[in-house]
Amino acid sequence: MKPVRVGICGLGTVGGGTFNVLTRNAEDIARRAGRPIVIEQVGHRSIHPDCDITGIKATSDVFEVAANPDVDVIVELIGGYDTARELVLAAIENGKHVVTANKALIAVHGNEIFQAAHEKGVIVAFEAAVAGGIPVIKALREGLGANRIEWVAGIINGTGNYILTHMRDEGRAFEDVLAEAQALGYAEADPTFDVEGIDAAHKLTIMASIAYGVPLQFDKAYTEGISRITGEDVDQADNLGYVIKHLGIAKRTENGLELRVHPTLIPKDRLLANVHGVKNAIAVMGDAVGPTLYYGAGAGAEPTASAVVADILDVARDINTAHHYRVPYLAFSGVGEDMNAPAIMPMEDITTAYYLRLLAVDRPGVLARVATILSDNGISIEALIQKEITEGELVPIILMTHRTKERQMNDAIREIESMADIAGAVTRIRVESLDEGE
Amino acid sequence: MKPVRVGICGLGTVGGGTFNVLTRNAEDIARRAGRPIVIEQVGHRSIHPDCDITGIKATSDVFEVAANPDVDVIVELIGGYDTARELVLAAIENGKHVVTANKALIAVHGNEIFQAAHEKGVIVAFEAAVAGGIPVIKALREGLGANRIEWVAGIINGTGNYILTHMRDEGRAFEDVLAEAQALGYAEADPTFDVEGIDAAHKLTIMASIAYGVPLQFDKAYTEGISRITGEDVDQADNLGYVIKHLGIAKRTENGLELRVHPTLIPKDRLLANVHGVKNAIAVMGDAVGPTLYYGAGAGAEPTASAVVADILDVARDINTAHHYRVPYLAFSGVGEDMNAPAIMPMEDITTAYYLRLLAVDRPGVLARVATILSDNGISIEALIQKEITEGELVPIILMTHRTKERQMNDAIREIESMADIAGAVTRIRVESLDEGE
């Protein structure tokens, strides 16, 4: 059968990896696709040192690849928002299928891109945009297609998980582990994108759209980072039987969809709690299948290339399929047209349990006052630890609450912080049981 | 668009679950498929009590469903080998697509069935045949399509994992937990199929074919059960930092493919070691993606239905696709025609590490003699525990070896068992590191 001709734009880490995997495993890939996948052209400014493109047609202008009539599929691996958006839209305009690993592009410009692609009848595939090599987009979009998804909860940023893992295992401070992660190349010089949850929110936004058949709404995702987690919190969580993970959570409730990224206490015996270092994992609860989990490398040259090439294989198989028979971009047909589609809830309306840590002056009645404030706001306490004082007069109080509305918790925290006997801000970390069943 | 018309054969646990999921989630499923999926007819002898088929065309003759010109897809959920084989072949002969949850059927008769289906240009889908609701067939066949698979290792029998989990957590004996599992309905009255690894070998056979592009060869799978595992072994494994799991392992080596089901010691910190109770999980190592893992319910009405319905969705999308564009049944085109396809190795040729437990008379020189026998057979010892004697004169000796050939280990065990100072048989459990990376 006729080969499928690929144009790779960008030959950095992921582009180089994609080039190498397509080349190294060409024979197996052709047997899987039923036809050869050939690299027709590459567009790049610089080349990853592991990548040898001898004999391949190359250009420094990626738009030339998007216009090349001999290219069937554009693989966008240049990253970023603006040029990537222009490139993808140009490729679509030229009737080419698109494979991309760009989570920011899809989360922010996905609705526009899918609309354009739908009009042209071309595929836009983005498995590599979420959790690197883990085929979780395929699982959510196809493998779990029988289910109403109840919730999705994922460790979807390797940098953050690396930091939290080493804070816990080695009793080190956030800044200390972050510096190490930067030295090892697991974290960027400016780590904001990773540790403040923006990258995770991009990925969560994409998964939520696929899970629930709603348009991409990155601007409505709640995002909170891990930079304020202390060793004290890690230890207290451990004492209470929990581990702190930076989770992206999407949940269907009767009031709408929760869409939130924040540090989370989860029970130690959950599989997610045992996902260490830079690895990613996503737990998905479906009404028919129950709890499931997908684990693997969330970044890196070849893991991400694994997902890019899987998408190219899908394109190769679907290239002659009538467009309306293909899997819809966001899993459901008519996304954006469904008037009954659930809305994304404001953070104040979500319901969860909480871990609170506060510093109190050791004076009779302080604890009673805190308990009264919580009670007055309709919040019940599940566990309370008042630590013995080792020195000074401030006593750490650790509380776990039952599930309550975020708004009530905000009110309670405001009141508690206004108490004269409470020092500084209350630390609040959300708690999820993530019942995975036995 | 035109509905896809399904004929469900068998309305037991999985058939009833499939009926209910298709009915309950019909609206979402239609949006995913781009068209309605309608149940045209059911063929059944008895009906699961949870299933209400009022208003559905029914027959007690499943072959009538296979001949019904209004049925596009036959869903075979009657189980067993002979009638199921006849039914599936009749449906194919009538030009119908087939979805089945029958692992025994695919593992034993799959080559014949796929040949017939290929000639007729129809789909045979079997996601539900392996690990229930976990979409691992899709992951192996599509999501990891870029990779050369290095190994697959799975907990793919819930009954066995339930027994091993409770033996470990509660210090109970195999027979005791088995009786409980039978009372709870997790184990059959005759548990041979589950606890002796036959069911796992069916599923492993299917995964190996898809991972490596080789024909189904159930008769070449090595199968060893868990009925001889003792509480002593569970405790000793724990002391050494391991957990005993009943694994199905397929591995590519330079000498061919390993295909084996047996109790296995794996390090405690592996995710697989933390898969408890009746749940299943499959770890897959790819050359590009690295380690990945897929977890969920391996059995049960609705988890299995989840996979069956996902297959129906795939059929609905591919129903008008030219046959050569569809994903090949066993992932690769030309399975069975590839003269260079790796052969499945005899068990004596595989390489692994070992845990040995033996009972020795407490006499000087016995340990030295055992060590010499191992050394003479080219086997080196990694760890040795000689337990203190509490009563009587027999001393338990626990050994962990480095990796060696099974043949050498067989020879060594034969020699050790022939020693006058060794009582009874040597317990041998294989050990795998299953490196999942950090």
Side-chain angles (χ1 to χ4, degrees):
Chain A
M1 272 189 294
K2 241 178 68 179
V4 169
R5 300 160 304 175
V6 171
I8 300 179
C9 297
L11 283 179
T13 302
V14 178
T18 300
F19 185 95
N20 290 344
V21 170
L22 276 175
T23 308
R24 184 177 74 232
N25 291 346
E27 200 181 319
D28 277 7
I29 289 169
R31 278 187 71 201
R32 288 178 180 272
R35 76 200 56 205
I37 311 279
V38 298
I39 300 168
E40 181 67 29
Q41 190 176 19
V42 292
H44 65 96
R45 289 277 165 80
S46 58
I47 303 186
H48 196 276
D50 293 342
C51 184
D52 174 12
I53 61 164
T54 311
I56 302 288
K57 193 173 160 189
T59 170
S60 62
D61 177 12
V62 289
F63 288 89
E64 195 185 299
V65 184
N68 184 341
D70 294 332
V71 166
D72 303 308
V73 189
I74 283 281
V75 182
E76 183 279 300
L77 301 171
I78 61 175
Y81 300 83
D82 296 342
T83 310
R85 174 179 161 276
E86 281 170 47
L87 176 67
V88 164
L89 290 174
I92 290 168
E93 183 57 34
N94 294 332
K96 298 193 191 312
H97 303 288
V98 174
V99 172
T100 177
N102 192 330
K103 57 217 76 163
L105 179 73
I106 296 297
V108 176
H109 298 300
N111 297 325
E112 176 192 15
I113 288 167
F114 296 141
Q115 181 60 35
H118 184 67
E119 284 163 17
K120 278 286 180 177
V122 296
I123 301 166
V124 176
F126 50 93
E127 178 67 78
V130 178
I134 308 172
V136 68
I137 295 295
K138 189 171 274 285
L140 273 171
R141 212 164 66 158
E142 303 173 35
L144 303 181
N147 293 267
R148 276 175 71 91
I149 303 299
E150 296 175 5
W151 52 259
V152 176
I155 295 170
I156 44 182
N157 182 275
T159 308
N161 203 50
Y162 178 90
I163 293 172
L164 289 174
T165 301
H166 287 266
M167 284 177 71
R168 178 169 183 243
D169 291 354
E170 294 150 22
R172 290 160 65 193
F174 173 82
E175 295 75 15
D176 181 25
V177 185
L178 172 60
E180 179 190 78
Q182 286 169 322
L184 290 168
Y186 290 153
E188 307 286 334
D190 176 1
T192 313
F193 206 68
D194 290 317
V195 303
E196 296 306 336
I198 303 160
D199 174 70
H202 284 148
K203 297 166 184 166
L204 181 68
T205 297
I206 298 170
M207 288 198 288
S209 284
I210 287 171
Y212 302 114
V214 297
L216 294 151
Q217 295 163 80
F218 170 65
D219 55 328
K220 295 198 181 138
Y222 172 81
T223 304
E224 182 181 311
I226 56 170
S227 51
R228 281 173 301 180
I229 303 290
T230 64
E232 172 79 16
D233 296 320
V234 172
D235 290 347
Q236 290 299 338
D238 188 62
N239 290 340
L240 290 158
Y242 291 82
V243 175
I244 302 177
K245 290 293 186 185
H246 200 193
L247 296 189
I249 298 172
K251 191 183 282 185
R252 185 201 298 268
T253 77
E254 54 189 15
N255 302 315
L257 296 182
E258 299 182 359
L259 191 62
R260 46 193 171 100
V261 175
H262 53 68
T264 315
L265 268 73
I266 59 176
K268 274 182 201 177
D269 64 351
R270 297 287 177 260
L271 279 186
L272 272 183
N274 291 289
V275 170
H276 307 304
V278 297
K279 286 290 192 290
N280 284 17
I282 300 100
V284 181
M285 176 68 87
D287 70 337
V289 75
T292 63
L293 181 132
Y294 311 87
Y295 163 90
E302 293 219 350
T304 311
S306 171
V308 168
V309 174
D311 275 348
I312 297 172
L313 276 164
D314 276 356
V315 171
R317 282 189 284 254
D318 278 350
I319 204 159
N320 288 330
T321 302
H323 190 60
H324 59 267
Y325 278 107
R326 293 174 181 149
V327 184
Y329 307 109
L330 294 175
F332 294 82
S333 58
V335 169
E337 298 158 18
D338 178 6
M339 293 304 141
N340 298 315
I344 294 174
M345 294 156 66
M347 191 60 188
E348 291 231 306
D349 289 344
I350 72 119
T351 300
T352 187
Y354 294 85
Y355 157 100
L356 303 178
R357 182 168 55 81
L358 32 121
L359 283 173
V361 178
D362 188 22
R363 195 174 298 169
V366 173
L367 198 59
R369 177 74 192 124
V370 168
T372 303
I373 292 174
L374 289 171
S375 167
D376 288 351
N377 283 283
I379 300 164
S380 59
I381 296 169
E382 190 187 318
L384 188 150
I385 304 172
Q386 183 159 3
K387 286 190 75 177
E388 279 179 53
I389 312 168
T390 45
E391 58 177 76
E393 53 175 353
L394 291 175
V395 192
I397 300 174
I398 314 294
L399 284 160
M400 298 270 292
T401 77
H402 285 286
R403 285 164 57 81
T404 185
K405 258 211 177 130
E406 177 99 353
R407 181 175 290 111
Q408 288 162 261
M409 182 52 76
N410 290 345
D411 291 345
I413 287 176
R414 218 172 290 123
E415 273 190 71
I416 293 169
E417 286 179 345
S418 73
M419 285 170 60
D421 291 340
I422 296 294
V426 172
T427 296
R428 165 244 308 267
I429 309 177
R430 297 170 190 86
V431 182
E432 294 284 345
S433 68
L434 298 178
D435 191 10
E436 290 168 359
E438 198 206 19
Chain B
M1 269 187 295
K2 241 178 68 179
V4 169
R5 300 160 305 175
V6 171
I8 300 179
C9 298
L11 283 179
T13 303
V14 177
T18 300
F19 185 94
N20 289 343
V21 170
L22 276 175
T23 307
R24 184 177 75 233
N25 291 347
E27 200 181 318
D28 277 8
I29 289 169
R31 278 187 70 201
R32 288 178 180 272
R35 78 201 56 207
I37 311 279
V38 298
I39 300 168
E40 182 66 31
Q41 190 177 19
V42 293
H44 65 95
R45 289 276 164 82
S46 58
I47 303 187
H48 196 275
D50 293 342
C51 185
D52 174 12
I53 61 165
T54 309
I56 301 288
K57 194 173 159 191
T59 171
S60 62
D61 177 11
V62 290
F63 288 89
E64 196 185 300
V65 184
N68 184 341
D70 294 332
V71 165
D72 303 309
V73 188
I74 283 281
V75 182
E76 182 280 301
L77 302 171
I78 61 175
Y81 300 82
D82 295 342
T83 310
R85 173 178 161 276
E86 282 170 46
L87 175 67
V88 163
L89 290 174
I92 291 168
E93 183 58 33
N94 294 331
K96 301 195 188 312
H97 304 287
V98 174
V99 172
T100 178
N102 193 330
K103 58 218 75 167
L105 178 73
I106 296 296
V108 175
H109 298 299
N111 297 326
E112 177 192 14
I113 288 168
F114 296 142
Q115 182 60 35
H118 184 66
E119 283 163 18
K120 278 285 180 177
V122 296
I123 301 167
V124 176
F126 50 92
E127 178 68 79
V130 178
I134 308 171
V136 67
I137 295 296
K138 190 172 273 284
L140 273 170
R141 212 165 65 159
E142 303 173 35
L144 302 182
N147 293 266
R148 277 176 70 90
I149 304 298
E150 296 175 4
W151 52 258
V152 176
I155 295 170
I156 44 181
N157 182 276
T159 308
N161 202 49
Y162 178 90
I163 294 172
L164 289 174
T165 300
H166 287 266
M167 284 177 70
R168 178 169 182 241
D169 290 354
E170 295 150 22
R172 291 160 65 195
F174 172 82
E175 294 75 15
D176 180 24
V177 185
L178 172 61
E180 179 189 78
Q182 286 169 323
L184 290 168
Y186 289 153
E188 306 285 335
D190 176 1
T192 314
F193 205 66
D194 290 317
V195 303
E196 296 305 337
I198 303 159
D199 175 69
H202 284 148
K203 297 166 185 167
L204 180 68
T205 297
I206 297 170
M207 288 198 288
S209 284
I210 287 171
Y212 301 114
V214 296
L216 294 151
Q217 295 161 79
F218 170 65
D219 55 327
K220 295 198 181 137
Y222 172 81
T223 304
E224 182 181 312
I226 56 169
S227 52
R228 280 172 302 179
I229 301 291
T230 65
E232 171 80 14
D233 296 320
V234 172
D235 290 346
Q236 290 298 339
D238 187 63
N239 291 340
L240 290 158
Y242 291 82
V243 175
I244 302 177
K245 290 291 185 187
H246 201 192
L247 296 189
I249 298 171
K251 192 183 282 185
R252 184 201 298 269
T253 78
E254 55 190 14
N255 301 315
L257 297 182
E258 299 183 359
L259 191 61
R260 46 192 171 102
V261 175
H262 52 68
T264 315
L265 269 73
I266 58 176
K268 274 182 200 177
D269 65 351
R270 297 289 177 259
L271 279 185
L272 271 183
N274 292 289
V275 171
H276 308 304
V278 296
K279 287 289 193 289
N280 284 16
I282 301 99
V284 181
M285 176 69 87
D287 70 336
V289 75
T292 64
L293 181 132
Y294 311 87
Y295 162 90
E302 293 219 350
T304 310
S306 172
V308 169
V309 173
D311 275 349
I312 297 173
L313 276 164
D314 276 356
V315 172
R317 282 188 285 255
D318 277 351
I319 204 160
N320 288 330
T321 302
H323 190 60
H324 59 267
Y325 278 108
R326 293 174 182 150
V327 183
Y329 307 108
L330 294 175
F332 294 82
S333 58
V335 168
E337 298 158 16
D338 178 5
M339 293 303 141
N340 297 317
I344 295 174
M345 294 156 65
M347 191 61 187
E348 291 231 305
D349 288 345
I350 72 119
T351 300
T352 187
Y354 295 85
Y355 157 101
L356 303 178
R357 182 168 56 80
L358 33 120
L359 283 171
V361 178
D362 187 23
R363 195 174 296 168
V366 173
L367 199 60
R369 177 72 194 127
V370 169
T372 304
I373 291 173
L374 290 170
S375 166
D376 287 352
N377 283 282
I379 301 164
S380 59
I381 297 169
E382 191 187 319
L384 189 149
I385 304 172
Q386 183 158 2
K387 286 190 73 177
E388 279 179 53
I389 312 167
T390 46
E391 57 177 75
E393 52 176 352
L394 291 176
V395 193
I397 299 174
I398 314 295
L399 283 160
M400 299 268 292
T401 77
H402 285 285
R403 285 164 57 80
T404 183
K405 260 215 175 124
E406 177 100 352
R407 179 175 290 111
Q408 288 163 260
M409 183 51 77
N410 290 345
D411 290 346
I413 288 177
R414 217 172 290 124
E415 274 190 69
I416 293 169
E417 286 178 345
S418 73
M419 285 170 60
D421 291 339
I422 297 293
V426 172
T427 296
R428 166 245 307 269
I429 309 178
R430 296 168 190 88
V431 182
E432 294 285 344
S433 68
L434 298 177
D435 191 12
E436 291 169 358
E438 196 205 20

